[in-house]
Amino acid sequence: ELAEQKFRREARSRLRAAQAYVIGGGPAEDVFHPNIDIVPGPGVDIVCDLEHDRLPFHDGHAVSVKAIHSLQHLCRDGARHVLRECARIMQSQAVLFIMIGDFAFIMERIQEDGMVDAWLNCVFHGTNDDDHFGFHKWGYTYESLKSEVEAAGFSNVRHCGHYNRWEFKMSATRL
């Protein structure tokens, strides 16, 4: 039992000292920590209402934040809120990294291929209504997300290529 208490104490200390955060990493096994998500689950370190609450970190602390496939699970205003919160907790010149579905590409595929499950899943994501945040609530093109990121207080927004044909990567620097 002493070993478990020591492990928990050290884990809490690492979370407080961390300067790199993941927003909405969910139960992914390869997510970095601390992982802040809207629902509890395996691999989630901190539960926070990303659409409404302040991130539980002090201003100007983080050197990087990653949001991998998370912003589209929030309503547009919720994503705007969490982007502003990321800017608040990040140091000047810290880096925000985002990977997200390329809504323009996905819509092109639907127009050309029709209403096939593969492309519809990229839009809606969920297969049942048990998981409120399993579904995508908003879609982004590079240009629309760039505008949102800049409005939240970031600069030097860069398109970092595609992870695959339907997902793009973006980075930005905190002003």
Side-chain angles (χ1 to χ4, degrees), residues 9-28:
R9 206 172 34 254
E10 289 173 355
R12 282 193 302 273
S13 177
R14 281 193 307 275
L15 289 176
R16 283 192 299 272
Q19 291 184 300
Y21 304 100
V22 172
I23 301 295

Side-chain angles (χ1 to χ4, degrees), residues 91-157:
Q91 299 175 6
S92 177
Q93 303 305 307
V95 177
L96 172 68
F97 180 80
I98 298 171
M99 186 164 56
I100 198 163
D102 185 340
F103 204 65
F105 178 85
I106 295 164
M107 290 298 101
E108 284 177 21
R109 298 300 345 136
I110 289 174
Q111 288 177 336
E112 290 186 28
D113 300 341
M115 302 287 277
V116 296
D117 283 353
W119 301 126
L120 291 173
N121 193 50
C122 289
V123 174
F124 300 109
H125 188 267
T127 57
N128 64 58
D129 58 354
D130 293 337
D131 182 2
H132 180 66
F133 287 95
F135 291 94
H136 292 166
K137 294 182 178 181
W138 203 254
Y140 297 93
T141 64
Y142 169 74
E143 293 78 14
S144 70
L145 187 55
K146 179 179 188 279
S147 176
E148 298 289 352
V149 167
E150 289 172 339
F154 294 89
S155 64
N156 302 320
V157 179

Side-chain angles (χ1 to χ4, degrees), residues 24-111:
E29 291 180 12
D30 61 347
V31 71
F32 295 115
H33 295 278
N35 173 15
I36 305 117
D37 208 319
I38 204 160
V39 294
V44 175
D45 301 302
I46 299 168
V47 176
C48 177
D49 183 346
L50 298 173
E51 292 186 309
H52 301 101
D53 293 346
R54 285 175 58 92
L55 294 176
F57 308 106
H58 61 271
D59 297 0
H61 178 70
V63 295
S64 70
V65 173
K66 290 183 179 183
I68 310 296
H69 299 294
S70 56
L71 295 178
Q72 69 268 37
H73 290 273
L74 306 175
C75 68
R76 184 190 65 195
D77 290 344
R80 287 175 175 170
H81 169 76
V82 81
L83 287 170
R84 288 189 306 271
E85 279 297 293
C86 287
R88 180 186 63 78
I89 68 167
M90 294 173 78
Q91 299 175 6
S92 177
Q93 303 305 307
V95 177
L96 172 68
F97 180 80
I98 298 171
M99 186 164 56
I100 198 163
D102 185 340
F103 204 65
F105 178 85
I106 295 164
M107 290 298 101
E108 284 177 21
R109 298 300 345 136
I110 289 174
Q111 288 177 336

